[in-house]
Structures are given as C-alpha cells and as structure tokens.
Amino acid sequence: MLTPSEYDRLCDQLTILYAALDESIIEDITRRMLKTGRVTDAARWQAQQLQQAGMLYEDVLAEIAKRTDATQAHVRALFEDAGVQAIRNDNRYYKAAGLEGIVKMSDAALQTLHAGFVKCAGNLQNLTLTTANTAQQAYIQASDLAYMQVTTGSMDYNTAIRHAIRSAADEGSFVLYPSGHRDRLDVAVRRAVLTGVGQTVRQLSLINAEDMGCDLMEITAHGGARPSHAEWQGKIVSRSGRRGYLTLHDIGYGRGDGFGGWNCRHDWHPFFEGISHRAYTDARLRELEEPHTEIDGKKYTDYEVTQMQRALERNIRKQKRQVAAANAMVESAPDEALRQAAQADFTRESVKLKAAEQELKNFCKQTGFLPDTSRVWVNGFGRSVSQKAVHANKTNLTFKDYHDIISLRGTLSDRDTRAWYLAHDRMIPDLIDRSKTIEEQARQACDLRNQFRTQARELMADQEKRRQLDITDPNRSFEELIADKMQRKGLSREEAIADVLQTATKTRASVNKILGLE
C-alpha cells in the first residue's frame, strides 16, 4: 500500500526530466518559424515549411533518444522504491495482527514489479514518441496561420509570426493516443506513471495478502476524491466476495474509471476481522464529502476546491509556456523590429504569469490547501527564463491591467501613459472573439479601444491636458466611427466595418515619436 500523499509525490522528479524535451520543442518551433522568412510565393513557402517540419520531427526524435536512458533509470528506481515502501506500509498491519509480515518478496511479487516497470517505461516511450508527430503538426498549423494572415493583408509579417508562435506555445507539447484523444505531455506522463505504479503496488498488496492468508482489504481515503470513488473509499473489500463487504466488482477493480484506474490515488492494505480497526469511520468519511471550505462566502467540498485549484494551476502552466516561447523569440529574432516586438510580448506575458501565480497563492491562503509545485512547473521554463520574467514584472508597469495599477491614477507622465496605452491597444487583436461576425468583432475592437483610451487618460498626471483631450479627441461610438469612415474615406458600410477592425491598433506615429516611443 502507498498513502495518498506518497502517490502525490511520485511524479515530481520524473516531470523535471522532461524539461529539456519541451524546451527544445518550443525553441525549435520558434527558431524554424523565424528562419522561414518573409515568403510571398505559396509554393516556395510550402516547400520551406515542409522542409523545416521534417527537420523539427528529426530533432524531436533525437531529443527523445538522448533522454530515454535517464528516464528508464528513474522509472526503474521509482518502481523499486514504491515496492519497498508498499511492503513496509503493509507490514505494519500484519504485525499489528500478530503476524511476522513480508520479509522477502516472493518470485511472483518480483515478477509483478518488473513487469510493471517494463510496461510503464514502454508507455512513456510511446507517449513521448507521439510528441514528434504533434510537434510537427503544431509547426505546420502555426506556419499556415501566419502565411494566411500575411497574404490576406490582415496582419503584417512580424505581428502574424508572433501570433502564430503564441498559438503554438499555447498548445504545448501533446501526445496522441490511438483512440484519437490527446493530452499535454506533462499530463500524460503523470497519468502513465501514477497509474502504472499504482496498479503494480496494488497487485503486490494482493499477492502479499494471498501469501499471508488475508481476505479483507481496507481502501484508503482522502479529501477531494472524485464522486464515483468517494462511494467506496475507506470501506472494506473482500477478495473472495464475502457477504457484508464490498466486492472487487463493486469498486470497479480492473476498470479504467474504478479503483486503481486512471490517476487513482486510492490504495488498500490488509484488514483482519476482529483485530483491525478502520482508519476512517463512516462519520469521518461523510465529513470528507461535506462542503466545509469557504471561498467568497460560499462553502465547497474538497473535490470542488481541488478542481478550482487545478484550473488555476493550468493557467499558470499556460502562461509559463507563453513566457518561454516569447523568450525564445527574443533570442532568435532575425531583425531588431521583431526582437523589440518579441520583448514586449515577453514583458506582457511575464506580468500575466506573475498575476496568475499571485491568484493561486491567494487561493491557497484562503482555502488552506497547499500549492502543488509539480503541477505548475512547465517543461522548458528554466531558472534563467524565470529570473527574466520576475525582472520584467517588477520593472515594467506597461502591461499591467488597469485595475492592478488603479492606485497610480493621476500620477503617470505623458510618456508612461502613452506606453501603457500603446501596449494595451496592441492587445486588441488577442482580445477579440474571432468566432463572432466581422461587425461584432469590429464593435469589440471599438469598445476596447475606447476603454483603454479612457483608462490611460485616468492615469495621466496632467489632468488639465486630459480634459482638453476629452474635448478635442473624444471617444466615439461604433456608429459614429462607421459614419466618419464612410464620409471621410468614401467607404461602404461593410468596408468601413472592415476598416475599423483592421486599424484597431493604429495610433498616431507623430505623437509616439514626440514621446520617444517610435
């Protein structure tokens, strides 16, 4: 038997072993997209794209091969340690019942442990190999997106390539299962190891129970169990199916969604009728399922709180991938204009990352739950990138949300105010819901620009100048903007709507130049 907390710690070190692999994929996708260059001919673009995709595929395979030996050695040690710890834990119950306990693993137990290791190592190898295919597809899709945006004139090359790289980083490294289901690499590895070790250790406990003549097994329990598992956690199971106890069928033993299945942290240990005492009474089990953690005035169960925490952790992993991708783009940019734009992306994503980390910190402080560092760690997010992100967050207010710096209202210089406005104005394409109609997107762009303009003026130290701007350059409604474009440019309504969307991030170069921002 392993305890729920021991299962929690199983994958921490193994996850770190995948750092260089994901880092290599993110950096290679970025470098190859930048290397393709400004291509306008479709055939030439496609040829270069496919060539780079093939090189990326070979690079990922090479990276996997380099890490195979280290991964297998770690998995072998992980299984051996888990087997020893499981026997040590079970022996406490055997000795409490007056038995000697397991002194040496039987041949059957040793074979089970070895078979579990071989199967898990093979599964990890298969999972990581699929990342070569998915990385290749991510590169091709990102390249196609950039090409389409440039050739249709909706974006300039630098903007399109940055959008495409952000899109690829947002996806992360995926593994593809035969069923068609896909998971991020870190999620798939964690599931494979947790499931593989868990199934092996539970089978060891069954073999030992058979050797010791023990029919009953007590299932462990923990807060935050999924509802279907909460029905039987902490209960007694009879291996032979004796009346008055749960059966193996009742707990779904052998099924992926049952006891010992995917990501299950439940285990079992020997229980002797008339001698052993249940670790969890029925009353205690009911307490585990009751909502008792208060968040913003409402109480939640441990399971609900756990799911909320996982969502916050996923957001942090997402932001770390964006920061890592932006850093790689800064280091690989072929020209100064793209490097500066990438640096701005890096700063913006760093600010978002620190905000996400603070949100998780506040959540854990409010709920009393402990943060799981292995779940917010991201392959490819090394110490140097982390230090750069911290520095960018501390030294730059440009990309901070207005509500995070509302205390600075009426204090910023004209230059700092303009820099804040330009940065947020450039975010508009990322904030628009592209699933909506062109007119709805244009309305969103207009509303966002008015919002950022108003907020920027609130930040200005020179409020007298702000009042003059409100008179000479007021916010205009969407319909006012459309009417102006139709009259001034001689456009139809449809053309004016498209123009609003296309010029959403266009600002006055003369003002930017005066303030030293161009």
Side-chain angles (χ1 to χ4, degrees):
M1 177 205 76
L2 293 180
T3 65
S5 61
E6 287 169 341
Y7 276 113
D8 283 338
R9 297 191 296 269
L10 269 179
C11 306
D12 292 357
Q13 292 301 314
L14 185 64
T15 306
I16 295 174
L17 287 176
Y18 284 84
L21 176 58
D22 224 6
E23 181 178 8
S24 172
I25 291 172
I26 290 173
E27 290 183 346
D28 213 356
I29 287 176
T30 300
R31 184 175 66 251
R32 294 191 184 284
M33 288 194 68
L34 296 175
K35 186 177 180 180
T36 302
R38 292 169 171 77
V39 180
T40 56
D41 176 69
R44 192 160 135 249
W45 170 272
Q46 187 177 46
Q48 288 189 334
Q49 174 203 51
L50 293 175
Q51 180 186 35
Q52 293 297 332
M55 292 177 180
L56 173 65
Y57 180 82
E58 295 298 327
D59 280 354
V60 175
L61 289 180
E63 290 295 328
I64 291 171
K66 285 195 306 186
R67 290 163 178 78
T68 297
D69 289 343
T71 300
Q72 289 199 351
H74 186 86
V75 172
R76 181 186 295 276
L78 191 154
F79 269 76
E80 290 173 351
D81 291 346
V84 170
Q85 185 62 41
I87 290 176
R88 183 181 294 125
N89 291 344
D90 281 353
N91 275 343
R92 294 203 308 267
Y93 297 96
Y94 289 126
K95 290 178 179 179
L99 300 174
E100 183 181 9
I102 305 298
V103 177
K104 181 182 178 181
M105 282 191 189
S106 66
D107 290 342
L110 287 172
Q111 290 173 6
T112 297
L113 191 62
H114 179 71
F117 153 68
V118 171
K119 181 180 179 181
C120 185
N123 286 341
L124 289 179
Q125 179 73 353
N126 290 337
L127 290 177
T128 51
L129 283 175
T130 67
T131 62
N133 285 321
T134 56
Q136 187 180 51
Q137 290 304 311
Y139 170 80
I140 292 174
Q141 290 171 7
S143 297
D144 285 346
L145 174 64
Y147 179 75
M148 179 184 68
Q149 290 171 333
V150 171
T151 55
T152 58
S154 60
M155 289 184 185
D156 61 82
Y157 174 79
N158 282 358
T159 302
I161 208 73
R162 286 161 49 221
H163 273 243
I165 289 172
R166 284 205 297 270
S167 175
D170 196 27
E171 287 287 294
S173 297
F174 273 94
V175 299
L176 188 64
Y177 296 93
S179 65
H181 176 74
R182 65 178 195 162
D183 274 321
R184 285 197 168 88
L185 179 60
D186 54 348
V187 173
V189 167
R190 187 181 186 92
R191 179 186 294 117
V193 172
L194 189 62
T195 302
V197 171
Q199 289 177 344
T200 302
V201 167
R202 294 177 195 105
Q203 186 62 30
L204 286 179
S205 291
L206 279 185
I207 292 173
N208 293 336
E210 182 71 29
D211 292 341
M212 300 299 290
C214 179
D215 178 58
L216 302 180
M217 306 292 287
E218 181 178 358
I219 302 176
T220 59
H222 61 82
R226 68 193 83 167
S228 60
H229 288 202
E231 295 177 0
W232 41 251
Q233 70 170 352
K235 305 285 181 64
I236 309 300
V237 182
S238 169
R239 296 190 297 109
S240 64
R242 287 167 55 187
R243 281 193 181 184
Y245 299 101
L246 294 174
T247 66
L248 297 180
H249 176 76
D250 292 334
I251 63 175
Y253 184 64
R255 295 202 315 261
D257 60 348
F259 171 77
W262 307 306
N263 279 339
C264 181
R265 293 186 295 131
H266 289 103
D267 210 324
W268 48 14
H269 57 77
F271 184 90
F272 295 90
E273 195 172 38
I275 299 175
S276 302
H277 298 280
R278 286 176 58 189
Y280 286 84
T281 64
D282 289 341
R284 177 63 181 129
L285 290 173
R286 285 193 295 271
E287 288 179 11
L288 288 178
E289 298 178 44
E290 292 173 355
H292 57 270
T293 302
E294 187 171 317
I295 304 174
D296 298 330
K298 182 179 179 181
K299 288 189 176 181
Y300 297 87
T301 64
D302 284 351
Y303 178 77
E304 290 171 328
V305 175
T306 299
Q307 295 307 301
M308 294 164 70
Q309 182 171 334
R310 294 293 172 263
L312 295 173
E313 291 163 349
R314 286 194 297 272
N315 187 42
I316 290 176
R317 294 200 301 271
K318 174 184 175 181
Q319 285 306 130
K320 284 187 174 181
R321 286 194 297 272
Q322 289 293 352
V323 170
N327 180 66
M329 188 160 42
V330 171
E331 294 177 348
S332 304
D335 56 64
E336 184 60 20
L338 183 54
R339 193 197 69 79
Q340 289 185 4
Q343 183 62 53
D345 287 345
F346 178 82
T347 301
R348 181 181 66 250
E349 299 302 336
S350 296
V351 171
K352 289 182 181 179
L353 169 61
K354 295 308 164 186
E357 290 176 336
Q358 186 62 47
E359 186 177 6
L360 176 61
K361 183 178 179 180
N362 293 341
F363 180 85
C364 291
K365 184 177 180 180
Q366 186 177 5
T367 62
F369 278 47
L370 294 176
D372 187 342
T373 55
S374 69
R375 289 183 181 271
V376 296
W377 180 88
V378 161
N379 305 329
F381 198 78
R383 181 178 296 274
S384 62
V385 180
S386 177
Q387 290 173 340
K388 291 179 184 177
V390 170
H391 178 73
N393 179 65
K394 285 183 176 179
T395 59
N396 199 304
L397 297 175
T398 303
F399 296 98
K400 288 189 179 295
D401 186 81
Y402 173 74
H403 297 289
D404 292 333
I405 58 172
I406 199 167
S407 60
L408 299 179
R409 282 184 303 179
T411 65
L412 296 191
S413 67
D414 289 354
R415 188 181 189 281
D416 287 344
T417 299
R418 186 68 174 179
W420 185 92
Y421 172 69
L422 290 175
H424 284 71
D425 190 62
R426 288 166 184 155
M427 292 181 191
I428 290 176
D430 296 329
L431 299 174
I432 292 173
D433 185 351
R434 299 293 179 180
S435 67
K436 295 183 178 296
T437 66
I438 295 297
E439 180 168 343
E440 289 172 326
Q441 292 181 43
R443 286 183 181 275
Q444 280 187 321
C446 177
D447 291 343
L448 285 167
R449 189 159 192 175
N450 285 341
Q451 173 189 319
F452 293 144
R453 185 185 289 115
T454 299
Q455 290 173 342
R457 291 175 181 179
E458 290 286 338
L459 294 170
M460 291 175 63
D462 191 343
Q463 284 296 296
E464 179 58 35
K465 180 183 289 186
R466 178 261 171 90
R467 283 187 283 273
Q468 291 298 317
L469 287 172
D470 286 343
I471 296 172
T472 60
D473 190 15
N475 286 334
R476 285 183 289 181
S477 70
F478 178 73
E479 293 300 335
E480 289 174 335
L481 192 59
I482 292 298
D484 176 72
K485 287 183 178 290
M486 291 175 66
Q487 180 180 5
R488 183 164 49 86
K489 294 186 175 183
L491 303 176
S492 67
R493 180 177 174 82
E494 289 73 20
E495 291 171 335
I497 288 172
D499 193 60
V500 168
L501 189 58
Q502 190 164 349
T503 61
T505 59
K506 185 177 181 180
T507 57
R508 295 179 186 173
S510 58
V511 176
N512 299 336
K513 189 172 183 179
I514 290 173
L515 294 173
L517 296 172
E518 278 197 3

